[in-house]
Amino acid sequence: VTVSNDDPGDAVRSLVAPAPGAARDVVAGALERGDLLAVVGRCTVAFDGRASGELGPGERHLLVKPDGTALVHGDDGQRPRAWVGPGGDVSASVVAGDLRVRATGDGGDDSLTVAFEALVHVGAFDVTDDGERTVAGTEADLRERVLADPDLVEPGFTPLATERETPAGPVDVYGEDREGRAVVVELKRRRAGPDAVGQLERYVEALERDLHIEAVVRGILVAPSATDRARELLAERGLAFASVDPT
Amino acid sequence: VTVSNDDPGDAVRSLVAPAPGAARDVVAGALERGDLLAVVGRCTVAFDGRASGELGPGERHLLVKPDGTALVHGDDGQRPRAWVGPGGDVSASVVAGDLRVRATGDGGDDSLTVAFEALVHVGAFDVTDDGERTVAGTEADLRERVLADPDLVEPGFTPLATERETPAGPVDVYGEDREGRAVVVELKRRRAGPDAVGQLERYVEALERDLHIEAVVRGILVAPSATDRARELLAERGLAFASVDPT
DNA sequence: TTCTTCATCTCGAAA
DNA sequence: TTTCGAGGTGAAGAA
């Protein structure tokens, strides 16, 4: 077992195949300093809270962030096998010769316990991420596109408001058609399914009641495409569809 | 810059503050062997595909799994700041003196590029996670509970089928009430919102049409609780609610 | 706080 | 492959 550290300003602590006690010390120090903590090894995991469950023995990667978030990743997939959210407490101990890391969620209702029966690596890193994040191709971009060129929705369509409030919640785009009829537009950045139609329908009905007029409120689903079931539902409800890409 | 490795059967390679070339070699070896790869350092990130975007300079943790999944984690929150799914290719290179890791998603439509301008740690780990995952408190558990004690839904309720097919999709639980009327039950393991009511409504309407009878099909939403808006919608649609916890 | 909806949602199962 | 709904969904914005 060797401690391997080039000591670049105490920014890193890295142990390969450490003894549990040495690992616990590194983990405890990382938690105290607010470091990013990474532990790789064979472990079992238990969690409890909104639901409860466990992971049988397996080799995994535990990531603990300065805000208390803890993620247990297996060897595949994009989602952690187990996790607990930020805001809680994290502690480390050695129980029966095993390193044990325990984290609790914000309310304290959620808890996560990781017991390592073999340690491959422990690392503590003093990192801060203050970089900006930009994303293009979101629903917001689709909305901008529709507002810039309302004919994409339907020739003669005139947007009047975004996020217009109704008893059923805010509608993405509210406007009127060439004949002056009220129009509710629901935007989806991806292929739309039955849920999107249900949403649109709720807004249309809510707005009809809100305006308490006899005139019909039209509903238009705007998305790159829609599934067959979604199109059937649109037809049944007398709603329309317009194909528009978010980019 | 030191290579620090206790050589526990070639299961670990760990470099603290490595030079880009040395890091590239470790990364390339990890990709070749199918190791779990972890890189910590200051980087910029760009992604493209379903959407596109970038992360400005920041210190982050890159995790690459044997299946090609790549996750870029910042110092807080539970979701990666950027990612690409499994199934694609991953490659490493040194460009303008910086380690660069590029990963593509399954279809090759998605791509993720991470350029490290400073390296804190590089680790390659030979791990496999074959542990079982068990979870209690899921919707399946709620269904079992309801089937074991149908009175939780409503006194006199009799379940007849689960996953019963309708033109709108499979119904969680199908049965009949004390008067022999058809009943559709929609289950939610947590507090139910408007979307759950929309789902239940679709199933009720689909089943009414499917049975093509004059008799009404009843709908009951079963969940620990429901939001006010959800309750209003239930009332408008003539649907019922039953409070049942998944555990 | 609760509520509502978006997400580069992810994931699994079924048609 | 596509569709559909669950998820211990998470996260953001508004009331």
Side-chain angles (χ1 to χ4, degrees):
Chain A
V1 179
T2 23
V3 177
S4 49
N5 193 332
D6 213 12
D7 189 14
D10 271 351
V12 197
R13 287 152 222 245
S14 168
L15 301 185
V16 173
R24 194 244 347 255
D25 293 344
V26 168
V27 171
L31 297 175
E32 194 166 349
R33 289 187 305 275
D35 282 355
L36 188 74
L37 169 69
V39 183
V40 178
R42 187 170 181 79
C43 61
T44 56
V45 180
F47 60 89
D48 197 6
R50 291 170 294 183
S52 61
E54 49 186 58
L55 310 184
E59 295 173 309
R60 309 191 179 96
H61 180 282
L62 167 66
L63 185 67
V64 180
K65 300 191 180 189
D67 70 349
T69 301
L71 307 168
V72 178
H73 274 279
D75 59 5
D76 68 349
Q78 183 165 164
R79 304 273 314 203
R81 294 266 213 277
W83 70 92
V84 73
D89 298 313
V90 188
S91 61
S93 58
V94 176
V95 178
D98 292 344
L99 173 66
R100 183 163 301 196
V101 179
R102 186 161 194 282
T104 58
D106 195 358
D109 287 341
D110 287 323
S111 72
L112 175 74
T113 304
V114 186
F116 288 93
E117 59 190 65
L119 289 165
V120 171
H121 184 259
V122 176
F125 314 105
D126 178 19
V127 301
T128 57
D129 177 11
D130 51 3
E132 289 295 309
R133 184 177 194 265
T134 60
V135 188
T138 65
E139 188 180 288
D141 294 307
L142 176 56
R143 180 174 61 236
E144 293 314 305
R145 194 157 178 233
V146 159
L147 295 178
D149 186 3
D151 282 3
L152 288 171
V153 172
E154 179 181 274
F157 173 65
T158 305
L160 298 174
T162 62
E163 307 292 315
R164 184 195 197 282
E165 282 300 330
T166 74
V171 302
D172 286 338
V173 179
Y174 170 73
E176 57 183 30
D177 68 10
R178 147 178 300 154
E179 260 93 69
R181 288 175 293 213
V183 174
V184 168
V185 174
E186 173 63 27
L187 303 170
K188 289 295 161 195
R189 68 169 300 280
R190 303 210 307 175
R191 189 169 173 82
D195 53 335
V197 182
Q199 230 179 307
L200 178 57
E201 185 195 14
R202 290 210 319 275
Y203 294 146
V204 168
E205 292 182 2
L207 198 59
E208 282 183 334
R209 222 159 323 167
D210 205 32
L211 298 176
H212 49 77
I213 54 176
E214 293 304 313
V216 185
V217 174
R218 296 183 53 211
I220 306 179
L221 178 62
V222 174
S225 60
T227 66
D228 287 347
R229 193 108 81 197
R231 287 181 183 276
E232 291 167 19
L233 284 166
L234 286 169
E236 287 173 18
R237 318 292 212 240
L239 304 169
F241 174 76
S243 173
V244 184
D245 278 287
T247 52
Chain B
V1 178
T2 21
V3 177
S4 50
N5 193 331
D6 214 14
D7 189 15
D10 271 351
V12 197
R13 285 148 223 249
S14 169
L15 301 184
V16 173
R24 192 252 337 266
D25 293 344
V26 167
V27 171
L31 297 175
E32 195 166 349
R33 288 188 305 274
D35 282 354
L36 188 74
L37 169 68
V39 183
V40 178
R42 187 171 180 80
C43 61
T44 56
V45 180
F47 62 90
D48 197 8
R50 291 170 295 183
S52 61
E54 49 186 59
L55 310 184
E59 295 174 308
R60 309 191 180 94
H61 179 282
L62 167 66
L63 185 66
V64 180
K65 299 191 180 189
D67 69 351
T69 300
L71 308 168
V72 178
H73 274 279
D75 59 5
D76 67 349
Q78 176 167 172
R79 305 281 313 254
R81 293 265 213 277
W83 71 93
V84 71
D89 298 314
V90 188
S91 61
S93 59
V94 176
V95 177
D98 291 344
L99 173 67
R100 184 163 300 198
V101 179
R102 186 162 194 282
T104 58
D106 196 359
D109 286 342
D110 288 322
S111 72
L112 174 75
T113 304
V114 186
F116 289 92
E117 60 191 64
L119 288 165
V120 171
H121 183 259
V122 176
F125 312 104
D126 178 19
V127 300
T128 57
D129 177 12
D130 50 3
E132 290 295 311
R133 184 178 194 264
T134 59
V135 187
T138 66
E139 187 180 290
D141 295 307
L142 177 56
R143 178 173 61 238
E144 294 313 306
R145 193 155 179 237
V146 158
L147 294 177
D149 186 2
D151 282 4
L152 288 172
V153 173
E154 179 181 275
F157 174 65
T158 305
L160 298 173
T162 62
E163 307 291 311
R164 185 194 195 282
E165 283 300 331
T166 74
V171 169
D172 284 340
V173 179
Y174 170 73
E176 57 184 31
D177 68 9
R178 147 178 298 155
E179 260 94 69
R181 289 175 292 213
V183 174
V184 168
V185 174
E186 173 64 27
L187 304 169
K188 289 296 166 197
R189 68 167 299 283
R190 58 179 197 175
R191 189 168 174 82
D195 53 335
V197 182
Q199 226 179 311
L200 177 58
E201 185 196 15
R202 291 210 318 275
Y203 293 146
V204 167
E205 292 182 3
L207 197 59
E208 282 182 336
R209 221 159 325 166
D210 205 33
L211 298 176
H212 48 77
I213 53 176
E214 295 303 312
V216 186
V217 175
R218 298 184 52 211
I220 307 180
L221 178 62
V222 173
S225 59
T227 66
D228 287 348
R229 194 111 80 194
R231 287 180 185 276
E232 291 168 18
L233 285 166
L234 287 169
E236 286 173 17
R237 318 292 211 238
L239 304 170
F241 174 74
S243 173
V244 183
D245 279 288
T247 50

